[in-house]
Amino acid sequence: MASRPFGGAAGFALGATLRAAAISVLAFGGLWAVERHLWATGVVLAGVLALVVADLVRSTRAADRTLAQFVDGLTAEGYERPTIPAGLSELGVAIRAALDRLAVTRAERQQRTDFLEALADTVSAALLVVDDRGAVTAANRAARVSLGAHIGALAAIPVLGPETAQRLLELPVGAREIVRLADQRAMLAQVSGFTADAGARRLIALQSVSGDLDAVEVKAWQDLVRVLAHEMMNSLTPICSLSENIAGKLAGPHTPQTEAEVIEAAEVIARRSHGLMNFVERYRRLTDAPAAVKTRAQAAEVVRNLDQLAAAMIGADTIAYSSAVQPAWLTIDADPDLLEQAMINVLKNAVDAVRGREGAAVRLTCTLEEDQLALTVADNGPGLPTDDPEGVFVPFFTTKAGGSGIGLTLARQIALSHGGRLEHRAASPHGAVFQLLLPQA
């Protein structure tokens, strides 16, 4: 632009200035000629003055039209590029550059809009945009096809029904809820909010979950059956073993010692059977964990009962089992049936882990650690999974062939129901240690 010092905006300004100066000179000359009665000169000067004024008005109006066309182009989708008059070349270049950038921006915006519309029409969820009056202002293809949605009142969509429509309008932003359509289809409704030029809007997404809910319901029943079957088998195994032991002793010679052993085994069977029935009765209420009904008992008696159940689990296998209570006067404030059920699961896992291994050993101890009573089961088996040791508490996770992966999960739930916890760590040099910690009253 340095080579054209009088072009563009500078030329327009210079031209306007010269015209204004000429108008002033011509006006002054005209007045001078009139005062001197030089009428012919006055007429000529007046004519020239009129021409200069007309040229100034024309150039000003041309610039005004150019800027008006440019401003119109900023707001109109199908704008026309303005014609740039002579003397406004710099303004013309700036206007053309601005319009080129505007065209690129509009093209990109339209591409994004087309992409979002295509994306919304591709998803399987029905999407409805609803204003603050409860009217649908936009709907994707899934909403139009599966719901028969249309622009208008949300309650006017027949498949929704007035009650479901009203519920959707009442859901707070961010809510997720299962709703039923008029044809009894189950839909997962999710609500989000945004602000548009016309005000606040709600985006309601409806996704069919009928098949998923049926599958989840069936899976829940299957899992429940597996839990109950697992706990029944864990309790029935030592009961069966003790029953066979009683039958063998009764078939042999009767001695006072034999009778005492038979009576003790029968008491264990009766207590465990009663505990199992009590457990199943409470668990069938479908709570996260059966509620604990605590009573106080001697820790030595609890451990002695567990010793008998562990002996029945071990059977004829060569497993070194031992137990200890330190100090001997310890008492346990817990639900005896639930606590025994939890410890059966932990002991069974330990026995199964060492069964068939050379030097197999399992040890049960009951100790006092600070303000907590600790029931600890240690074994010298293969130990915990190295990649994910916490996985042993995941429901239905198991590393045993034919295992259910339920026992430790339930044991942890029972510990939590007592206000305690179930922890585990690796034993040295190998094996696992599980510790059920209970508050000490």
Side-chain angles (χ1 to χ4, degrees):
M1 293 299 176
S3 62
R4 300 176 61 190
F6 300 110
F12 176 79
L14 179 60
T17 301
L18 292 176
R19 290 183 180 86
I23 289 172
S24 299
V25 172
L26 290 171
F28 178 79
L31 291 176
W32 178 83
V34 170
E35 288 179 356
R36 298 293 189 276
H37 301 288
L38 301 174
W39 305 113
T41 302
V43 170
V44 172
L45 292 176
V48 174
L49 176 62
L51 292 175
V52 173
V53 170
D55 183 63
L56 178 61
V57 170
R58 179 194 60 78
S59 61
T60 303
R61 292 184 63 183
D64 182 61
R65 283 195 305 271
T66 301
L67 293 176
Q69 289 176 0
F70 171 69
V71 173
D72 289 341
L74 295 178
T75 56
E77 291 296 331
Y79 59 86
E80 294 183 1
R81 292 177 179 268
T83 302
I84 307 300
L88 296 178
S89 58
E90 286 189 4
L91 178 61
V93 170
I95 288 176
R96 283 191 292 269
L99 292 179
D100 288 340
R101 289 194 297 271
L102 180 61
V104 172
T105 302
R106 283 177 172 169
E108 293 176 348
R109 184 187 64 186
Q110 187 61 44
Q111 289 177 352
R112 289 195 298 270
T113 301
D114 294 341
F115 171 75
L116 292 175
E117 290 179 354
L119 183 63
D121 284 339
T122 301
V123 299
S124 59
L127 304 179
L128 301 170
V129 178
V130 182
D131 62 17
D132 53 1
R133 296 175 299 172
V136 177
T137 59
N140 71 339
R141 183 176 181 275
R144 296 190 298 269
V145 173
S146 63
L147 303 180
H150 50 78
I151 303 302
L154 182 67
I157 301 177
V159 73
L160 289 181
E163 294 183 0
T164 299
Q166 183 62 32
R167 180 56 186 160
L168 291 175
L169 294 176
E170 293 174 351
L171 287 176
V173 173
R176 293 162 54 94
E177 185 174 303
I178 300 294
V179 298
R180 290 279 180 181
L181 304 184
D183 56 7
Q184 297 305 307
R185 280 185 294 164
M187 306 288 282
L188 173 62
Q190 297 177 270
V191 181
S192 57
F194 63 95
T195 302
D197 294 338
R201 292 289 185 269
R202 293 163 64 86
L203 175 62
I204 300 175
L206 295 171
Q207 187 168 5
S208 176
V209 292
S210 297
D212 295 336
L213 285 179
D214 293 340
V216 169
E217 184 176 0
V218 171
K219 183 65 166 54
W221 281 108
Q222 292 174 343
D223 292 346
L224 176 61
V225 171
R226 290 179 65 185
V227 170
L228 294 178
H230 175 271
E231 298 309 310
M232 291 176 68
M233 290 299 296
N234 274 3
S235 292
L236 290 176
T237 298
I239 289 175
C240 291
S241 178
L242 289 172
S243 300
E244 293 173 355
N245 189 29
I246 289 176
K249 291 183 180 298
L250 291 177
H254 291 192
T255 64
Q257 182 179 358
T258 301
E259 291 180 0
E261 292 175 352
V262 169
I263 292 173
E264 186 178 13
E267 290 176 349
V268 173
I269 292 174
R271 187 184 65 256
R272 184 83 295 268
S273 299
H274 179 75
L276 178 60
M277 291 177 62
N278 193 21
F279 171 82
V280 173
E281 174 63 24
R282 279 183 279 173
Y283 198 89
R284 71 183 182 89
R285 298 175 186 173
L286 300 179
T287 55
D288 290 339
V293 181
K294 298 181 180 180
T295 59
R296 188 176 294 275
Q298 291 294 321
E301 181 182 352
V302 173
V303 171
R304 184 166 55 252
N305 294 334
L306 292 174
D307 289 344
Q308 292 176 319
L309 295 171
M313 294 178 195
I314 294 171
D317 291 323
T318 305
I319 298 176
Y321 174 83
S322 61
S323 65
V325 178
Q326 297 174 349
W329 51 260
L330 278 179
T331 59
I332 299 178
D333 188 24
D335 186 311
D337 295 334
L338 292 182
L339 180 60
E340 196 170 88
Q341 192 72 49
M343 293 307 299
I344 284 175
N345 288 326
V346 178
L347 283 169
K348 186 176 187 301
N349 277 359
V351 170
D352 290 343
V354 301
R355 182 173 278 120
R357 297 175 66 89
E358 184 177 355
V362 174
R363 180 169 176 78
L364 168 64
T365 59
C366 182
T367 57
L368 189 61
E369 298 188 2
E370 297 181 354
D371 295 332
Q372 294 180 309
L373 185 139
L375 284 163
T376 306
V377 176
D379 66 70
N380 59 352
L384 301 170
T386 56
D387 55 341
D388 183 20
E390 280 296 318
V392 297
F393 291 120
V394 176
F396 312 116
F397 172 90
T398 181
T399 58
K400 297 186 295 184
S404 65
I406 298 170
L408 291 177
T409 303
L410 185 58
R412 173 174 271 188
Q413 289 180 340
I414 291 174
L416 292 174
S417 71
H418 282 77
R421 63 186 187 276
L422 180 62
E423 298 179 344
H424 66 87
R425 64 179 185 273
S428 179
H430 54 81
V433 177
F434 283 84
Q435 194 170 57
L436 194 152
L437 300 168
L438 299 176
Q440 178 67 7

